[in-house]
Amino acid sequence: MKSTETVVKVENLRKTYNADAVAVHAVDGISLSIEKGEFTAIVGPSGCGKTTLLNMIGGLDRPTSGDVYVQEVSIGSLSEGDLIDFRLKHIGFVFQAYNLLPVLSAEENTSFIMQLQGKSKEERSQRARQLLKNVGLEGREGDKPAQLSGGQQQRVAVARALASKPNFIIADEPTANLDSHSTSNLLDIMARLNEEEQMTFVFATHDQRVIDKAKRVITLEDGKVITDEIRS
Amino acid sequence: MLYLRLAWRNLWRNRRRTLITVFAVAFAGFFVIAMRSLQTGAYDNMVRNTVGTYTGFLQVHQDGYWDEKIIDNSFEESESIRETILQQKGVSGVSPRITGFSLLSYGLKTRGVQVEGFNPDYEAQLELEERVVAGTGRPEYGAVIGSDLAEYLKVEVGDSLVFLGQGYHGQSANALLPIEGIVSLSSPMLNQNTAFINLKMAQYVFAADNRITAYAINTEPDADLYEVESKIREALNKGELEVMNWQDMLPELVQSIQADSAGGILMAGVLYIVVGFSLLGTFIMLAAERKREYGMLIGLGMRRGQLMRLALLEASALAVLGVLLAVVLTRPLTLYFHFNPIQFTGQAMEALREMGMEPSMPASIDWSIPLTHGAILLVLTLGISLYSLVSIKRIQPVNAMRS
Ligand SMILES: Nc1ncnc2c1ncn2[C@@H]1O[C@H](COP(=O)(O)OP(=O)(O)OP(=O)(O)O)[C@@H](O)[C@H]1O
Ligand SMILES: [Mg+2]
């Protein structure tokens, strides 16, 4: 049996919005942990709290109560500035859309994060090219986002997320704007990276094709986990 | 490097808006720099015409002379005083003068004129020899007069003028002096109302042997006038002599320059406010457009301070482009009008002459004008870009990306 290593631990997490004086419990007391190498889908009907949960796991949003631990570090205890640095060092993001800076090429977008991390120019360019090759974009390094299809843009975003060597990557509906061909292509790439590099992925999705590929499926309803299924 | 490249490329994302904003800054800069160059040039010219070529930047008189300009308030000319003044750092020339007033007649025409006795060998301001229309600029026994005065009296070189005036201690100062030369002076006041005669002759006519009313002092172009003034005052250290600078001697000139200049500054201010609003519009649109992107960048791990630096760079680039364009456009214009002064003709010319001003307006090519207004525009742009900085400060990645 493989020894496991916890990358994210969520403890009794709650997020309450007070819209129009009616309290909405977007995330309502969730506890779970995510182990290294997982390929986890968070699913559930619209409004069940997937985005809210992912944002808190990724340190983009603060919980009303409870805490998130990434590598034993309590995200709740970090100051605003430290949290930004923490995201830069430890967490990779693939957003639903508008991931890339339109004025930078695919390679520049990929190396951007590494530049913020202070990596050397040679390291950046070598790694960016390697990653773009890994996501099947060899030869498109110099293209601007506007010259790439939606699927290709998302693949650049995946390459960028990997570039910073994060502990895990979160992706909120990464395939929502893609056609079925691009979706399966992106999924194959993510699955391969998960297999080959043991990169941990956590994504929220509605898409049955994405759910089918997941190794673990966590279903939410009204901000609560209703099923948590690990597939072999 | 990353920031520079990003800022530069961001600048051209909306090419048309960037160009419009750059042109707005450039237009304001162009207009203000051109206007201030013409104004400053005109002021410099006025000062040069009255001060540089007549009164001198500093004068030494008998105490009280400037309040009551009569021959009785003259003092004994002394080579040692002249030497002392000349030795002060920043002094380039010291001209002894005796100034009196007299009625001047030729035939049936008479006019009250200022009689300026000067020593052609020591003279550092009056450049009569360079302005000769007829005869000489170095009077010995007769008078040199301005061309307007000659025209008014209808006289030529060789005609004799009758002077009727009052000399030292109430003695009568009458003389018959031939015209030795006619000069064309740029200051209309001097050209219409002044007769120049040799200092020795003037002292004789005014019965003020060896006396003068002033030492007119010229200073080096880069000398600090006030410093030179206080040095001379210190060196003379004699209670009965006063040292005055041209601003104290000619308060009307200073006031009219200040009043005119204030109008120009007001206009520049209004223009800057208008451009400021145009810039604000650009920055508001920019902040709204980039909100999602900035949210994404903060989400990825870019600090707000880094984003602000980026926004500041972009704003600076905008301002620098506008300012450079303004300077590049105004420079040839000011250079042209510096060497080819605007000449007023017709009624404008008459009006200016009546005000005692030269109807010619050379533009100033002093770099301090474009530098000052370039700096103002830069500070204005950066100040208004605070809007972008505040909006970056407020961005919450989750909300920004949701919108
Ligand atoms: N900023 C907010 N203010 C108020 N209510 C919010 C806010 N963000 C989310 N909510 C509410 O919280 C609940 C969970 O929203 P969330 O976006 O997490 O759902 P989701 O599962 O991601 O939905 P979808 O599948 O449509 O993306 C919803 O009821 C939503 O209306
Ligand atoms: Mg969602």
Side-chain angles (χ1 to χ4, degrees), chain B residues 330-380:
Chain B
T330 39
R331 204 61 195 163
L333 194 81
T334 48
L335 278 172
Y336 178 82
F337 285 116
H338 179 74
F339 294 110
N340 306 279
I342 296 173
Q343 300 292 345
F344 292 93
T345 52
Q347 284 189 326
M349 177 183 80
E350 291 307 321
L352 282 171
R353 278 179 172 272
E354 261 161 46
M355 283 187 286
M357 280 167 64
E358 196 191 357
S360 151
M361 242 170 119
S364 166
I365 50 171
D366 191 341
W367 273 110
S368 73
I369 298 168
L371 283 179
T372 305
H373 292 280
I376 290 174
L377 279 168
L378 195 68
V379 169
L380 182 77

Side-chain angles (χ1 to χ4, degrees), chain A residues 46-47 49-52 96 172-173 204 206, chain B residues 402:
Chain A
S46 184
K50 303 183 293 292
T51 296
T52 309
Q96 182 176 331
D172 190 0
E173 311 211 25
H206 285 292
Chain B
R402 193 196 303 275

Side-chain angles (χ1 to χ4, degrees), chain A residues 118-137:
Chain A
K119 299 271 159 56
S120 77
K121 193 175 165 139
E122 298 79 63
E123 186 183 348
R124 284 193 327 249
S125 122
Q126 203 190 346
R127 187 163 166 76
R129 287 173 167 273
Q130 181 60 45
L131 287 166
L132 286 172
K133 193 175 160 194
N134 283 358
V135 298
L137 287 173

Side-chain angles (χ1 to χ4, degrees), chain B residues 50-271:
Chain B
T50 42
V51 177
T53 64
Y54 181 48
T55 56
F57 288 89
L58 297 167
Q59 282 195 358
V60 171
H61 327 114
Q62 176 73 22
D63 197 22
Y65 171 77
W66 203 254
D67 290 333
E68 200 184 353
K69 299 187 191 70
I70 53 171
I71 301 275
D72 285 359
N73 281 335
S74 59
F75 62 102
E76 193 92 16
E77 186 188 3
S78 130
E79 196 56 24
S80 83
I81 294 178
R82 211 184 85 84
E83 281 298 322
T84 307
I85 299 170
L86 206 48
Q87 272 159 20
Q88 302 309 310
K89 195 164 161 277
V91 172
S92 62
V94 180
S95 321
R97 305 252 185 90
I98 186 162
T99 306
F101 295 89
S102 160
L103 281 177
L104 202 168
S105 313
Y106 182 77
L108 294 174
K109 298 241 181 191
T110 297
R111 179 175 273 190
V113 299
Q114 185 166 299
V115 176
E116 198 67 47
F118 72 107
N119 181 340
D121 295 328
Y122 288 160
E123 186 54 46
Q125 282 86 27
L126 302 168
E127 293 157 339
L128 299 188
E129 282 158 274
E130 288 159 34
R131 294 156 202 274
V132 170
V133 177
T136 176
R138 291 175 67 95
E140 285 171 37
Y141 49 87
V144 170
I145 60 172
S147 53
D148 285 346
L149 182 58
E151 203 173 303
Y152 173 78
L153 296 171
K154 301 211 177 348
V155 291
E156 290 170 7
V157 173
D159 293 339
S160 285
L161 302 171
V162 177
F163 287 79
L164 290 171
Q166 200 177 51
Y168 190 51
H169 284 172
Q171 298 176 65
S172 67
N174 304 335
L176 186 67
L177 299 176
I179 297 175
E180 284 182 277
I182 294 171
V183 288
S184 171
L185 301 169
S186 47
S187 159
M189 191 264 291
L190 291 181
N191 210 32
Q192 287 158 10
N193 292 323
T194 313
F196 300 91
I197 60 181
N198 193 291
L199 183 65
K200 286 274 166 265
M201 194 65 185
Q203 286 168 338
Y204 170 73
V205 170
F206 288 119
D209 227 14
N210 224 22
R211 298 185 78 81
I212 56 173
T213 50
Y215 281 118
I217 300 163
N218 242 15
T219 50
E220 309 277 4
D222 53 352
D224 178 343
L225 188 64
Y226 305 105
E227 207 180 295
V228 179
E229 181 184 358
S230 68
K231 276 213 188 108
I232 293 173
R233 193 170 286 135
E234 230 169 84
L236 294 179
N237 198 21
K238 282 187 188 165
E240 70 265 27
L241 291 185
E242 68 185 9
V243 184
M244 289 177 84
N245 63 46
W246 67 270
Q247 285 146 336
D248 293 333
M249 292 189 285
L250 304 167
E252 322 79 38
L253 181 63
V254 175
Q255 273 166 20
S256 67
I257 286 175
Q258 278 171 348
D260 192 83
S261 184
I265 290 168
L266 192 75
M267 203 128 107
V270 169
L271 215 62

Side-chain angles (χ1 to χ4, degrees), chain A residues 17 55 60-61 80-81 84-85 87-88 93 95 98-105 108 112-113 115-116 144 160, chain B residues 1-3 5-6 9-10 13 292-293 295-304 306 395-398 401-402:
Chain A
Y17 293 109
N55 284 345
L60 291 170
D61 205 359
E80 182 68 19
I84 292 179
D85 287 348
R87 291 200 296 264
L88 179 65
F93 294 92
F95 301 113
Y98 307 107
N99 262 297
L100 306 178
L101 288 174
V103 294
L104 297 185
S105 68
E108 288 167 332
F112 182 75
I113 293 269
Q115 200 153 358
L116 290 181
K144 297 273 169 63
R160 179 187 61 192
Chain B
M1 255 334 274
L2 168 71
Y3 293 103
R5 185 158 27 137
L6 256 180
R9 290 196 197 161
N10 271 339
R13 273 165 81 166
R292 188 195 292 271
E293 186 175 312
M296 186 264 292
L297 288 172
I298 295 171
L300 289 181
M302 190 168 184
R303 285 195 222 128
R304 288 185 177 77
Q306 293 173 309
I395 285 179
Q396 291 301 324
V398 170
M401 281 188 286
R402 193 196 303 275

